[in-house]
Amino acid sequence: MQMQRQTENRSCVLRCCLSVLLTIALLLGMSSCKKEEQGGLTMATDAAFFPYDYVENGEIVGIDIDIVHEVARRMGERVRIENMEFDSVIAAVQSGKVDFAAAGITVSPDREKQVNFSRPYAVAQQVIIVPVHSTIAQESDLVGVRVGVQSGTTGDLYVKEHIGEPERYSNGAMAVAALKAGKVDAVVLDNLPAEKHVSHNARLKILPTPLTEEAYAIAVRKDNPQLLEAINNALDAMDKEGVLARIAAEYGEKAMPTEEQGIWASVHNNFVKDGRWRYLANGLWVTVEISFFAALIGIVLGALIGIVRSTADQTGRLKWLDYFCRLYLTVIRGTPVVVQLLIIYFVIFGSVEISKVLVAIVAFGLNSGAYVAEIIRSGIMSVDKGQMEAGRSLGLGYGYTMRSVIMPQAFKNVLPALGNEFIVLLKETSICGYIALQDLTKGGNIILSQTYDAFMPLMAVALIYLLMVVGLSHLLKKLEKRLQKNER
Ligand code: ARG
């Protein structure tokens, strides 16, 4: 009897393991079909830094980008550009996710420990932007006021070291938008982007004394000195031939796209012009894809762990498995999902070429599994003990009773909690931008960084999430009703 029970347990666990593996294999298969063409060099940038790196007509352009394409042309190479948060750019080079990065990156001793820098190709300064009528007139006036910066930049570091904790935004345009909206009192930003923002906006000005003197260079992987040398040779030649100066001058003249007045003009500018709605549509697809498959992994993994945990609780068996499950729950629930996502992307899959969508699916799936596990466990616990005893005394095996008597009731009991978990999951995927995935939220941010309008793109993004959640809740309610009907 005891032996039969154990075999049943094992086969149940085995089956669940198999389903998880199958799902993962399926996903791997899917992602390898979609893998972008290999070969050439990959580079990281943050295309929200006009006029060095920005998006125009759906394409990433700017001083950095022109320089890099010219460098690559001279090396006989092609470059594939990965657009990500500035925070992640150096880490992407350091971990080998990309070969190099050009993003108006200031050479600094700390960064030199992580990456190699090419020879500089531009000089820059951190400057202070304030509203025209501001009482802030110099650096010392910044103490005690709210200063906006772009997270992870030299401006961020400077303010933190010399003035106080800044308010960190994911790009300069957002910091400036916050300044315009009165959310911060000043913004510290690189001079050229700052000048562009100010000439675009009559209510802002730049204070005369800059905070720093800096140089921009290309960041190259430490383990690729040949690439560094090739880039340096190309930059030297381009400098001598006046190519660097020509590119800088060309973009120096460009003005930021102007804001549209009036609601329809604004709708047109944010969504219709240059086909910007596509950022939302494509982003929506990425969000749905990640949420769906992550929920699938979450439910399988969660059911598996939930069963192991409650079996261990109720029968005292599966001790070791239970131990591992508890360890997993502790680690996953004890750390933020964004940290888990970054660890999986940069550390675990650091040196392997893998689709980012897959990374996100795995990260969110593993994360959700932990929460689903506890939900399922509470569901199993909520089913009266007598049910199991009744099943067993009818001669049914443990696994069979679990599967066909306990689980269906447990599932019904926890459906609202599960629904809640999937709603959370759907919205949680909005941090995918950290690993350069263009999900719905990132899509909205990209529009914002092109139109310098926060209201329209963010409202649109919020509305789309809201509609999805309302739809999901509706489906869940239907499912609940159907299950209730079956009961009668
Ligand atoms: N020069 C500053 C730094 O290296 C800011 C660069 C920001 N670049 C960007 N593409 N957002 O920290």
Side-chain angles (χ1 to χ4, degrees), residues 147-432:
V147 184
V149 296
Q150 176 180 11
S151 173
T153 60
T154 42
D156 178 356
L157 289 176
Y158 185 91
V159 173
K160 200 181 111 212
E161 261 169 43
H162 297 89
I163 296 160
E165 270 309 301
E167 311 245 333
R168 299 186 172 89
Y169 292 89
S170 72
N171 59 57
M174 282 209 202
V176 173
L179 181 64
K180 284 196 284 182
K183 298 281 166 234
V184 292
D185 306 300
V187 163
V188 170
L189 193 65
D190 298 50
N191 59 320
L192 194 51
E195 279 159 28
K196 297 292 178 191
H197 278 292
V198 169
S199 60
H200 171 78
N201 201 298
R203 285 175 296 151
L204 302 177
K205 67 177 182 191
I206 295 176
L207 296 184
T209 325
L211 301 173
T212 62
E213 297 291 335
E214 316 184 337
Y216 291 165
I218 296 175
V220 187
R221 282 167 70 163
K222 276 255 192 239
D223 61 1
N224 200 344
Q226 298 92 323
L227 179 61
L228 179 69
E229 200 188 313
I231 290 178
N232 275 335
N233 290 341
L235 283 177
D236 276 338
M238 285 160 67
D239 192 8
K240 279 205 199 88
E241 294 160 24
V243 178
L244 292 182
R246 199 202 66 222
I247 294 175
E250 187 186 313
Y251 281 94
E253 279 163 18
K254 287 204 184 192
M256 254 177 201
T258 44
E259 242 168 80
E260 305 293 324
Q261 298 296 323
I263 181 140
W264 289 116
S266 171
V267 166
H268 182 267
N269 186 39
N270 279 293
F271 306 119
V272 183
K273 202 167 154 222
D274 296 343
R276 293 197 171 117
W277 60 272
R278 278 196 214 100
Y279 292 111
L280 298 182
N282 297 342
L284 174 63
W285 173 241
V286 172
T287 295
V288 168
E289 196 181 7
I290 293 173
S291 310
F292 179 79
F293 287 109
L296 219 59
I297 295 185
I299 191 113
V300 176
L301 198 63
L304 176 66
I305 295 174
I307 292 174
V308 169
R309 296 266 292 113
S310 40
T311 302
D313 274 354
Q314 287 169 353
T315 66
R317 282 179 284 123
L318 302 176
K319 276 259 154 50
W320 273 101
L321 259 180
D322 182 48
Y323 175 77
F324 279 116
C325 290
R326 271 185 295 156
L327 188 69
Y328 163 79
L329 293 187
T330 309
V331 173
I332 296 288
R333 294 195 302 164
T335 51
V337 59
V338 58
V339 177
Q340 292 162 16
L341 179 70
L342 289 173
I343 290 179
I344 292 181
Y345 182 60
F346 284 114
V347 184
I348 298 181
F349 291 122
S351 47
V352 273
E353 181 80 25
I354 184 171
S355 130
K356 283 188 290 257
V357 171
L358 183 63
V359 170
I361 290 175
V362 170
F364 287 109
L366 288 178
N367 183 275
S368 179
Y371 295 93
V372 172
E374 287 299 88
I375 294 175
I376 300 247
R377 188 168 72 94
S378 68
I380 295 175
M381 310 281 262
S382 75
V383 178
D384 190 77
K385 268 223 177 79
Q387 302 269 333
M388 176 57 92
E389 280 157 21
R392 303 309 309 274
S393 63
L394 281 178
L396 306 177
Y398 181 89
Y400 186 80
T401 318
M402 189 55 127
R403 225 174 322 134
S404 29
V405 180
I406 311 289
M407 283 308 267
Q409 299 181 57
F411 182 71
K412 206 179 323 171
N413 290 349
V414 297
L415 199 58
L418 274 182
N420 198 34
E421 163 59 23
F422 295 135
I423 288 173
V424 171
L425 174 67
L426 175 73
K427 291 179 297 172
E428 224 166 33
T429 60
S430 61
I431 56 169
C432 281

Side-chain angles (χ1 to χ4, degrees), residues 18 94 122 163 208 236 373 430 485-486:
L18 270 177
Q94 195 262 344
I163 296 160
D236 276 338
S430 61
K485 230 185 251 157
N486 286 351

Side-chain angles (χ1 to χ4, degrees), residues 21-77:
L21 286 179
L22 254 168
T23 317
I24 293 179
L26 206 85
L27 293 172
L28 274 171
M30 262 175 30
S31 82
S32 62
C33 300
K34 277 210 308 202
K35 205 167 236 166
E36 302 122 81
E37 88 257 37
Q38 303 288 312
L41 296 168
T42 47
M43 88 152 217
T45 196
D46 163 32
F49 197 60
F50 185 87
Y52 284 97
D53 319 273
Y54 63 103
V55 183
E56 194 176 69
N57 303 329
E59 238 183 284
I60 301 179
V61 293
I63 301 180
D64 288 336
I65 311 302
D66 276 15
I67 292 180
V68 161
H69 278 312
E70 179 57 20
V71 166
R73 196 188 61 78
R74 289 170 187 238
M75 288 164 50
E77 286 276 10

Side-chain angles (χ1 to χ4, degrees), residues 434-447:
Y434 274 96
I435 61 166
L437 263 173
Q438 294 195 7
D439 70 319
L440 179 56
T441 303
K442 180 77 185 189
N445 276 346
I446 294 177
I447 297 182

